[in-house]
Amino acid sequence: MTAAEKVLTHPMAKYMRTDRLPWIYCPGCSIGIVTNMIARAIEKLDIDFEKIAIVSGIGCTGRVSGYFKTGTFHTTHGRSIAFAEGLKIANPELEVIVVSGDGDIAAIGGNHLIHACRRNIDITVVCVNNFNYGMTGGQFGPTTEHGRYTQTSPRPLGDIEWPFNLVKLAASSGATFVARWTAVQVRRATRSIERGIAHKGFSFIEIVGACPTSYGRSNQLGDGVAMHRHLLEVADIQNGLPPHEAELEYNSRIVCGEFVDIEKPEYTEVLREAQAKMQQQKRK
Amino acid sequence: MPERIMFTMGDVACAEGALSAGCRYFGGYPITPATEIAEWMSRRMPELGGAYVQYEDEIASITSVIGASWTGTKAMTATSGPGISLMQEAVGLAVMTETPLVIVNIMRGGPSTGQPTRGQQGDVMQAKWGSHGDYQIIALTPASVQEMFDQTVQAFNLAEQYRVPVFVLADETVGHMRERLVIPDEKDLKIVSRKKPTVSPEEYLPFKADEDLVPPMATFGSGYQFYATGLTHDERGYPSDKEHIQIELITRLSDKIRKNSDKIIDLERFQLDDADIAVIAYGTPSRSAKRAIRMAREEGIKVGLLRLKTVWPFPEKTIMDLAGEVKQIIVAEQNLGQVYHMVRAYTGTTPVRLMAKPAGMPQLPHEIFDVIKEVA
């Protein structure tokens, strides 16, 4: 064997469709890190990989599902949660993970997000928030900060709208596990994804990431390394802080941590109890 | 369950048909005049260990149904015109990912909110062309309460056999009318279920079709790995922007239905054998047409009915042959002409008269009778 043939295999490669590499992500993008976090969370929990379903919508993060080597589904724009609900309800044995971008889940899919939170259905949503629509070339979205420049909020105006704070949105809609980390807090974020998967109920984990190609360039935030270094600097870990205080100011302070971890009846379990009740009554 | 007899409405018959076909997941959003399907399902589904889920909108409803179907569960949704419009993007997803499911559309007056409690056959073209891109669809058009049951079972069987979304396209009158319904004994019903993979997970290609153009379908959690996407994909399910992949894929998806159209198309011929005039109708207007034909026959007019029990795929060959057999064709529709234009495409020089009525009531027998007399 020559030196050139000797290739080290990534420890998480067993979960990935390596025949699809190289993947589509730009240099400096955080989505690869988040994919790794999800794989490591699955590894740590030692759950049967074949019982996992990974679902996504459209956009850069929407492509994550297709790199995992289990049952995976790439739905229409914004509908990953709706698909995942059907999946989980029809087969509650499945461990259902939704990976999605901020535009996908909070704009077009916003309605499904809040209602899934309300139902407290046992799925885990990992949302990569890079503050813009990366795949379509960097337009403003529901998480873009006021005044930021994008392809559709050009200079000198910037974005005239105000962003969603996804942690506050998910928590106030009824999600029973809510966390936020940045892409550089890999161990902490991975542990939250683990907890989210293990949690019985709707889990929402926001990972604030970098999109140097579109958002970074439009707002002169530097390259991938610079953007990730910035995330590390402004991350302010406040585990257990009331979710309505979990502020996100890109320039100065991104409050990170686990903000909600409560127990509430889970949808598919309630549904099964309802079925039993109905069947019992019918037998009488 | 043994045979049961009910006096009930079309919507309920439809729900019972779905349950008899093995449907155990209903995802929906209430809308008149399809609401009774949801109401019936909310009571009956839990009894049978199935799920009734009321979503926040029609988009979530149908997308969840696609998700449920990928667990191997037979699944459906039911709605009406405005709801169908919202579901169209997901219809395309179901076509592209070859997901079996049933979509019931109890058609109401439109456009827009139109007449919620009144009927119209306004969604025939929407069922065929509502989503974007090239595809074929199957749409069944029941005309009675019993047919609401029978054709819903048939819709599930076709969906499972061809791995496609299938429409039950009923007008409001059929949905809301009350008639005798006979629910057959379970063992007398022909139930079809989708093909499962026979090869090992290592060898399995999720979108590699068998000779019948339909690929066996793996489910989530079964140990088979697959990537399903609305993007153009190869046999492995991997996205591709290559021209030949797109052409091969959409041709196969279309051919699954086109090449089997003789087996799918369901028609009723009524007094057509010696007819000079043919009425073509589907749904409630076909019942008025039958009465009108009996009235006309009493006056010695040789007229018959071709009743479409499926509008899609379209019975092109039958219409072509019919045009050669009769001197005049009348299309009676509860709209301003949707099937009429399809009929005209295959009738050559044989004159076709549209008997249109876009209002809440279908054509009444004497109204069709008058048109028959005019052209006789």
Side-chain angles (χ1 to χ4, degrees), chain B residues 79-145:
Chain B
T79 185
S80 186
I84 285 291
S85 299
L86 290 176
M87 289 181 179
Q88 291 293 359
E89 187 195 24
V91 170
L93 179 68
V95 168
M96 197 58 146
T97 55
E98 301 183 65
T99 310
L101 63 101
V102 172
I103 306 156
V104 181
N105 180 1
I106 310 297
M107 294 183 282
R108 66 191 232 179
S112 190
T113 318
Q115 293 184 315
T117 56
R118 297 293 177 93
Q120 194 180 352
Q121 294 177 314
D123 303 338
V124 180
M125 283 299 168
Q126 196 189 185
K128 175 67 191 79
W129 296 115
S131 203
H132 57 284
D134 291 296
Y135 64 99
Q136 295 290 320
I137 207 86
I138 299 174
L140 285 57
T141 45
S144 67
V145 170

Side-chain angles (χ1 to χ4, degrees), chain A residues 17 19-20 50-51 53 63 66 69-74 79 82-83 86-87 90 112 115 119 275 278-279 282, chain B residues 43 46-47 49-50 53-57 59-60 64 67 70-71 97 220-221 223 225-229 231 238-239:
Chain A
R17 295 182 199 279
D19 60 337
R20 289 202 62 205
E50 288 178 357
K51 297 289 175 205
R63 290 296 192 98
K69 202 161 69 179
T70 179
T72 53
F73 207 99
H74 184 214
R79 316 302 167 200
F83 181 96
L87 206 57
H112 310 311
H115 287 277
R119 289 185 187 103
Q275 287 166 344
M278 200 72 132
Q279 285 162 5
K282 210 194 164 199
Chain B
R43 289 162 178 75
E47 286 178 6
V53 192
Q54 190 166 301
Y55 280 92
E56 52 275 15
D57 59 28
I59 301 171
S64 79
W70 275 88
T71 69
T97 55
F220 279 95
Q225 299 164 346
F226 59 85
Y227 178 38
T229 170
L231 288 163
Y238 292 4

Side-chain angles (χ1 to χ4, degrees), chain B residues 214-237:
Chain B
V214 184
M217 188 170 173
T219 52
F220 279 95
S222 65
Y224 285 86
Q225 299 164 346
F226 59 85
Y227 178 38
T229 170
L231 288 163
T232 296
H233 49 268
D234 60 20
E235 290 179 340
R236 297 169 300 175

Side-chain angles (χ1 to χ4, degrees), chain A residues 99-282:
Chain A
V99 196
S100 178
D102 49 296
D104 192 51
I105 219 151
I108 186 165
N111 201 26
H112 310 311
L113 171 66
I114 60 175
H115 287 277
C117 289
R118 173 176 70 81
R119 289 185 187 103
N120 192 34
I121 183 165
D122 183 21
I123 60 181
T124 304
V125 175
V126 178
C127 173
V128 183
N129 180 3
N130 60 13
F131 306 105
N132 78 134
Y133 292 101
M135 192 168 268
T136 34
Q139 298 78 26
F140 73 86
T143 54
T144 308
E145 287 186 320
H146 183 77
R148 291 283 181 187
Y149 304 117
T150 70
Q151 293 296 325
T152 48
S153 56
R155 287 167 200 277
L157 295 177
D159 186 7
I160 61 168
E161 301 187 10
W162 300 90
F164 266 138
N165 182 316
L166 299 179
V167 162
K168 296 183 188 180
L169 182 71
S172 59
S173 303
T176 48
F177 183 91
V178 181
R180 175 195 288 143
W181 299 100
T182 73
V184 285
Q185 292 154 309
V186 176
R187 277 182 305 138
R188 287 186 165 94
T190 305
R191 203 157 57 227
S192 276
I193 296 171
E194 267 172 58
R195 288 210 185 109
I197 294 171
H199 176 78
K200 197 101 204 129
F202 191 87
S203 305
F204 182 83
I205 298 122
E206 176 184 10
I207 310 288
V208 177
C211 173
T213 304
S214 291
Y215 197 68
R217 192 171 45 173
S218 297
N219 292 287
Q220 297 177 319
L221 300 172
D223 62 9
V225 173
M227 285 185 80
H228 283 94
R229 190 170 283 147
H230 170 79
L231 289 175
L232 195 61
E233 281 164 11
V234 296
D236 179 5
I237 300 170
Q238 297 282 344
N239 276 306
L241 195 74
H244 65 268
E245 292 175 26
E247 300 303 336
L248 198 168
E249 303 276 346
Y250 185 85
N251 278 345
S252 55
R253 185 172 175 243
I254 299 175
V255 176
C256 295
E258 289 174 3
F259 309 108
V260 180
D261 188 359
I262 53 170
E263 275 181 38
K264 219 169 81 176
E266 189 275 324
Y267 184 86
T268 60
E269 287 188 353
V270 174
L271 182 75
R272 269 179 287 182
E273 282 164 23
Q275 287 166 344
K277 196 171 164 187
M278 200 72 132
Q279 285 162 5
Q280 205 179 7
Q281 200 171 349
K282 210 194 164 199

